[in-house]
Amino acid sequence: MKKAVWAPGAAAVLCALSTGASAQSSVTLSGRIDAGFAYMNNVQTSPGVTASRFGMQSGDWGTGMLNFTGTEDLGGGVKTIFFLSRSLKATTGTAGTVHRKSWVGLSQENYGTIKFGRDLFISNGVSAFDPFLQEMFSSASLVRGRTWQQTNSNVGYLSPSWHGFDLAAQYSFGGKPGNWNGTDTGSYGRSDGLQLTYRTGLFDVRAIYDELRDPNGQFSNVFTASREFILAANLRLGSFLVQGAATRMFAPDTPTGLASTANHYWLGVGYQANPFLLVTLAAYHVDVGQGAGNDTHDAHGHATMYELGTTYNLSKRTFLYANVGYVHNSSNATFSLEPNNPGLNNSNLDNPLPGHSQVGAYLGINHSF
């Protein structure tokens, strides 16, 4: 299944962390390469003019990446750890524009892990409850990518498990002179969040509260700089995995008259037909609250996205994938299958025209090392 297939790359990272106690220090190289073909209709070629698109793409199932993980045993069960990650584009053979992670920290089995540096924002915690694991078409699509961002100058903490519970916390410093909440060094100002998870053999439940501010330190756009509440759950029933979530977002500093709230829901099921084949079906829905839109803000409206996908394991490290999706927009909505920017004129040619639907598909191969 998808989580098992992705695991080899992650397993190499965890292996480095877990073996650090028996070796004085170690550095591990790991990563992922992803490439395939994609189709999408109702893509704008210029403002107001649409056409279909077909071609090769990198990272539709998951961003290609190159990772370096290090650990050093300090004694007494304490370890120094670091992680460096850079995105890769297989179709061009170049490094991507995203420096995914760059952090250093300390870990102790009984007290947890603390990290300092650039990291995935805490809202990425929804990926473990998303039937499509935040692929290109996924829970990130109808929230304009809000849940898969990275933030700078983080201090993050992850607790050990205690009777099934674990806690994560994250605080991202702004550092702008004269503006505690703003920043001069990134896309987001001071941001923070808490995550509480309860796990059993039958189900998992996760609650997240986070605050993602714009560079000026404000909650100015419901999909790019807002407060967010998430409640998500997984239910394991034999060969089936049922996953769902409800999200509430609100941006109190949004200019007067523009929409400042949104609700996002999803429900999906994965069926592990055999050790090689996983089939997943999911539906996602977003409601944008009352208010107008402009070039960079979405107006009141709603959209529903349906997705069917499958993965087939060729080995423990390599799998094939194929997904098809459809999004239906209300009269004012411009949501895409992809997590594009909000608004009508915000580098958004991949968004359909207001009220138009969109159909897309992608297939490819993914290898972890």
Side-chain angles (χ1 to χ4, degrees):
M1 58 187 295
K2 291 178 188 172
K3 293 174 185 175
V5 171
W6 188 87
V13 174
L14 296 175
C15 180
L17 297 178
S18 62
T19 59
S22 60
Q24 186 174 1
S25 63
S26 65
V27 176
T28 301
L29 172 67
S30 64
R32 182 169 66 195
I33 301 294
D34 182 290
F37 300 92
Y39 166 83
M40 187 174 296
N41 75 349
N42 284 337
V43 175
Q44 298 183 64
T45 57
S46 60
V49 180
T50 63
S52 297
R53 181 183 66 204
F54 176 75
M56 289 194 69
Q57 289 187 176
S58 298
D60 283 332
W61 188 91
T63 303
M65 63 183 74
L66 182 65
N67 307 322
F68 293 89
T69 306
T71 181
E72 180 183 16
D73 183 13
L74 302 179
V78 180
K79 295 181 288 185
T80 302
I81 55 176
F82 76 82
F83 192 88
L84 302 173
S85 180
R86 179 69 185 267
S87 61
L88 300 173
K89 291 187 177 182
T91 53
T92 61
T94 60
T97 59
V98 178
H99 298 271
R100 291 172 52 82
K101 299 182 183 181
S102 177
W103 53 257
V104 63
L106 295 170
S107 180
Q108 208 278 343
E109 182 177 354
N110 296 322
Y111 296 101
T113 300
I114 187 168
K115 303 183 293 183
F116 306 90
R118 177 175 171 83
D119 205 352
L120 300 177
F121 187 52
I122 197 167
S123 61
N124 277 260
V126 302
S127 63
F129 297 82
D130 178 2
F132 285 94
L133 293 171
Q134 296 209 87
E135 299 176 33
M136 183 59 72
F137 306 165
S138 68
S139 66
S141 298
L142 300 187
V143 294
R144 307 297 197 182
R146 189 195 184 284
T147 53
W148 68 9
Q149 301 301 326
Q150 296 91 26
T151 48
N152 297 328
S153 304
N154 290 301
V155 178
Y157 172 74
L158 177 63
S159 76
S161 179
W162 185 76
H163 297 290
F165 287 94
D166 62 73
L167 175 71
Q170 186 182 72
Y171 187 95
S172 175
F173 289 85
K176 186 174 183 177
N179 184 348
W180 178 261
N181 293 324
T183 185
D184 289 327
T185 59
S187 302
Y188 301 103
R190 184 176 71 85
S191 303
D192 50 75
L194 290 171
Q195 173 183 288
L196 179 65
T197 308
Y198 178 67
R199 310 171 197 268
T200 72
L202 177 63
F203 66 89
D204 312 317
V205 178
R206 175 167 290 174
I208 301 174
Y209 171 72
D210 66 71
E211 298 180 334
L212 188 63
R213 293 173 171 84
D214 68 20
N216 294 319
Q218 295 187 321
F219 301 112
S220 59
N221 190 312
V222 68
F223 291 125
T224 61
S226 58
R227 292 188 172 105
E228 177 182 51
F229 292 96
I230 302 171
L231 183 62
N234 293 333
L235 176 63
R236 289 173 282 273
L237 299 172
S239 298
F240 294 90
L241 175 63
V242 182
Q243 299 180 283
T247 300
R248 171 69 170 176
M249 292 160 283
F250 55 104
D253 300 320
T254 300
T256 303
L258 301 180
S260 62
T261 63
N263 298 318
H264 185 217
Y265 314 94
W266 70 79
L267 181 65
V269 59
Y271 172 58
Q272 192 72 50
N274 56 53
F276 307 100
L277 179 65
L278 172 69
V279 180
T280 305
L281 176 67
Y284 304 83
H285 182 79
V286 66
D287 283 307
V288 180
Q290 294 296 322
N294 63 11
D295 284 353
T296 58
H297 292 75
D298 283 314
H300 169 62
H302 58 84
T304 304
M305 184 177 80
Y306 305 95
E307 186 174 0
L308 173 66
T310 182
T311 59
Y312 186 83
N313 295 350
L314 300 177
S315 71
K316 292 183 178 180
R317 296 179 179 270
T318 304
F319 64 93
L320 304 175
Y321 60 85
N323 285 27
V324 59
Y326 167 77
V327 62
H328 175 77
N329 284 294
S330 66
S331 58
N332 291 328
T334 63
F335 288 93
S336 171
L337 291 166
E338 297 178 342
N340 301 320
N341 294 331
L344 295 174
N345 187 22
N346 192 9
S347 300
N348 283 342
L349 290 181
D350 279 3
N351 285 340
L353 297 174
H356 288 230
S357 61
Q358 191 172 68
V359 175
Y362 54 81
L363 57 89
I365 184 170
N366 186 295
H367 175 75
S368 297
F369 58 89

